[in-house]
Amino acid sequence: MSDSIIDSLKNKVIEGNLITKEEAKELLSAPIDELCAAANEIREHFCGNGFDLCSITNAKCGKCSEDCKFCAQSAHYDTAVTYYSLKSGDEMTEEAVHNENQGILRFSLVTSGRSLSPKEIDSVCDSIREIKSKSMIEICVSIGITDVDSFRKLIDAGATRVHCNLETSARFFPSICSTHTYEDKIGTLKAARAAGLSICSGGIMGIGETENDRIDMAFTLRDLGVKSVPVNFLSPIKGTPLEHNRSLCDNDKRRIIAIYRFILPDAAIRLAGGRGLIADKGEGCFRAGANAAISGDMLTTSGITAATDIALIRSLGFVPKLSGQ
């Protein structure tokens, strides 16, 4: 592929037009450095130099009824994860305040399991109220398959965003999970939006999907109007069916980010799980169109500290800023 094709598609996007799925697939063979540079221009045009940093708390861990093949918390697999029920409001508030003091802009409460019971929803709402009484940090929840009424309770408590990853394409999803459907996830995102919350959704790369699956998921996210898109890279967990999957090379990761920027020009493309496996801790991806990250530890794996992340993004000319509303 010649540079002129990259430039042609870049200019098409910057002029306010959307690329087609067929055009996105052309970028799979584009020269990597030129592709990343063009994606970064698109990011600069639509998003400026803002960089959205969030952190997560593993608010309820393990014994998950779902059989997602990548997940250490599934009760279907023998992993080293220790179960615990919902954290207390005091504990989550302490974490939220600490993260805010470190410069983090969003704090997400993430729970294991297909969904929360009504009693657990009420407990999460109480925790959010406690956090908001002592902090200005934005609150996101990732609580599985949930309905509009529950989301409305969470809004009243102070939540502003819901996270629910699609994980992969509709075609490949049944190969990684049989206990809930793609439609269940899309229904949750639509319910959150109907309730008045912003939505965050992305997926995991390196779980056995094809390049076309990655592109298909990006187009589904675009059709849903998702403006915060976490991109996870599989960190194979011993005991899960994917424990022997080979990690993607760093250039593959850069290419994924760059192509996502062409497809989702104004989104907050967020490096998430698996970033610590990248040799440069994500710098190359931040130069290829990514403009957000989860900072600190992930759910069951170690992450990168807020201080390290803030130093890195400032060195690249970014400034911490909420985005992807």
Side-chain angles (χ1 to χ4, degrees), residues 155-207:
I155 290 175
D156 289 343
T160 56
R161 173 171 288 177
V162 166
H163 165 263
C164 181
N165 271 349
L166 295 181
E167 310 301 6
T168 187
S169 69
R171 182 202 73 84
F172 190 62
F173 186 83
S175 298
I176 62 162
C177 181
S178 68
T179 49
H180 58 270
T181 67
Y182 211 65
E183 290 71 27
D184 289 332
K185 287 182 169 287
I186 289 176
T188 293
L189 291 168
K190 289 182 176 179
R193 172 153 289 162
L197 291 154
S198 69
I199 55 176
C200 174
S201 185
I204 306 178
M205 312 300 170
I207 57 176

Side-chain angles (χ1 to χ4, degrees), residues 23-260:
E23 288 171 330
K25 290 177 182 178
E26 290 188 72
L27 299 174
L28 292 170
S29 58
I32 186 65
D33 290 337
E34 290 84 348
L35 175 67
C36 291
N40 204 41
E41 287 186 54
I42 294 171
R43 187 271 305 163
E44 289 177 342
H45 178 81
F46 286 97
C47 306
N49 65 346
F51 195 100
D52 193 346
L53 278 172
C54 69
S55 65
I56 61 178
T57 180
N58 198 353
K60 177 186 176 184
C61 184
K63 290 188 179 179
C64 181
S65 61
E66 307 308 282
D67 66 355
C68 305
K69 291 182 178 179
F70 51 81
C71 187
Q73 299 195 59
S74 173
H76 295 260
Y77 315 127
D78 183 15
T79 67
V81 166
T82 300
Y83 169 76
Y84 54 81
S85 57
L86 274 173
K87 288 180 178 177
S88 69
D90 288 347
E91 188 174 1
M92 287 193 277
T93 298
E94 182 179 350
E95 291 180 48
V97 171
H98 172 76
N99 276 281
E100 183 178 44
N101 290 340
Q102 297 297 307
I104 300 299
L105 306 174
R106 300 183 190 274
F107 185 66
S108 183
L109 283 56
V110 185
T111 59
S112 65
R114 178 185 178 89
S115 58
L116 295 182
S117 68
K119 182 178 179 180
E120 288 174 319
I121 292 286
D122 289 342
S123 179
V124 169
C125 288
D126 289 342
S127 295
I128 291 171
R129 290 188 186 96
E130 184 174 345
I131 292 168
K132 296 303 290 184
S133 73
K134 298 180 180 179
S135 168
M136 296 295 292
I137 200 166
E138 291 288 311
I139 299 296
C140 174
V141 294
S142 183
I143 55 175
I145 297 165
T146 311
D147 58 24
V148 173
D149 289 342
S150 295
F151 284 138
R152 285 176 178 149
K153 289 183 179 180
L154 291 158
I155 290 175
D156 289 343
T160 56
R161 173 171 288 177
V162 166
H163 165 263
C164 181
N165 271 349
L166 295 181
E167 310 301 6
T168 187
S169 69
R171 182 202 73 84
F172 190 62
F173 186 83
S175 298
I176 62 162
C177 181
S178 68
T179 49
H180 58 270
T181 67
Y182 211 65
E183 290 71 27
D184 289 332
K185 287 182 169 287
I186 289 176
T188 293
L189 291 168
K190 289 182 176 179
R193 172 153 289 162
L197 291 154
S198 69
I199 55 176
C200 174
S201 185
I204 306 178
M205 312 300 170
I207 57 176
E209 80 287 353
T210 66
E211 291 177 318
N212 286 343
D213 287 320
R214 297 167 192 162
I215 288 174
D216 286 347
M217 184 180 76
F219 275 83
T220 300
L221 294 169
R222 193 174 81 179
D223 290 343
L224 289 168
V226 177
K227 298 300 184 183
S228 174
V229 180
V231 177
N232 299 268
F233 301 113
L234 179 68
S235 180
I237 303 295
K238 185 177 180 180
T240 66
L242 303 187
E243 66 174 301
H244 298 301
N245 278 39
R246 295 181 62 183
S247 295
L248 300 176
C249 74
D250 288 359
N251 275 346
D252 283 344
K253 295 170 184 176
R254 293 170 64 209
R255 185 178 299 278
I256 290 166
I257 294 297
I259 293 175
Y260 268 49

